[in-house]
Amino acid sequence: MENKFELLHVGIKTDDPVKAEETAKLLAMMFNLEVKMGNSSNFAGKYFECMKKENSPGTNGHTAMATENVDAAKAELEGKGFSFRPETASYNDDGSLKNIYLAGEFAGFAIHIIKK
């Protein structure tokens, strides 16, 4: 069975809390979005996550892909030859995967698979 994926948001790596705030506010103003300030990142609407921390995944940032069943998506992607970073996994109360990052980068971006 093929899983359905949809782009949830783009994580933009800024490495700096001030730049993350400036970038989120600029994107929000540009596209008429609301800013949501957070601990490790700031969001411009639901589309742009501006990362504050230097050690956030991906050289340029990450893309977050949402799917209904992260365990099934992981199995499908592993069947296609992709691997994952187990240390990035988080789980729901029932033990199913909530989210996980693929191993490696794709054009400078990490990819984060998240439960829809």
Side-chain angles (χ1 to χ4, degrees), residues 26-116:
L26 176 64
L27 290 166
M29 182 273 299
M30 188 183 305
F31 298 113
N32 304 317
L33 304 170
E34 290 187 29
V35 175
K36 180 182 174 195
M37 307 301 271
N39 291 327
S40 60
S41 63
N42 301 320
F43 273 85
K46 62 180 183 177
Y47 309 110
F48 302 102
E49 180 181 16
C50 301
M51 309 302 294
K52 296 179 185 182
K53 297 183 180 177
E54 215 174 286
N55 63 350
S56 59
T59 301
N60 300 318
H62 68 273
T63 58
M65 298 298 293
T67 189
E68 290 292 332
N69 185 324
V70 179
D71 288 297
K74 181 177 180 282
E76 177 184 341
L77 290 164
E78 286 172 332
K80 293 178 178 179
F82 296 97
S83 58
F84 290 83
R85 295 177 49 204
E87 74 280 5
T88 67
S90 65
Y91 298 88
N92 296 303
D93 291 339
D94 65 2
S96 62
L97 266 173
K98 185 188 294 187
N99 60 65
I100 191 166
Y101 277 90
L102 277 92
E105 292 187 5
F106 306 86
F109 285 86
I111 297 180
H112 195 197
I113 307 297
I114 299 176
K115 174 143 177 63
K116 188 174 179 180

